[in-house]
Amino acid sequence: MSQQREPSFDRIVAFVLRVGAFSCFFIMLTGLIAGFLVKGAMPLEIERAGVLLMLATPVVRVIVACFLFFREKDYRYGYISLGVLVILMLGAVFGIGEH
């Protein structure tokens, strides 16, 4: 079934990536502008939120792709996406203390 994937699949995945990228941009731009107008740690925290969203966007993309593969009953790619998600989560958990 993977050869005959619906065009909506690609549109949904592209939408997730587009929303994540634009959200990151606007959040980080807000932090940059706040840095000029407000003193303190708030602008840095806003920019940090943008960076975290930037890091979370590919993870959300894998979650959405996994869900869509299973919904289309394309179990091979669904399990591959689930494996990629597990690898990403393990990397995030075990990589937190590394500097």
Side-chain angles (χ1 to χ4, degrees), residues 26-70:
F26 287 117
I27 290 172
M28 293 180 77
L29 183 64
T30 303
L32 182 66
I33 293 170
F36 291 122
L37 302 175
V38 179
K39 299 299 177 197
M42 186 183 71
L44 181 62
E45 295 300 321
I46 293 172
E47 291 176 9
R48 187 173 292 159
V51 171
L52 288 175
L53 183 62
M54 188 185 313
L55 292 172
T57 299
V59 176
V60 173
R61 182 246 183 255
V62 171
I63 292 169
V64 169
C66 183
F67 173 75
L68 292 174
F69 281 131
F70 281 123

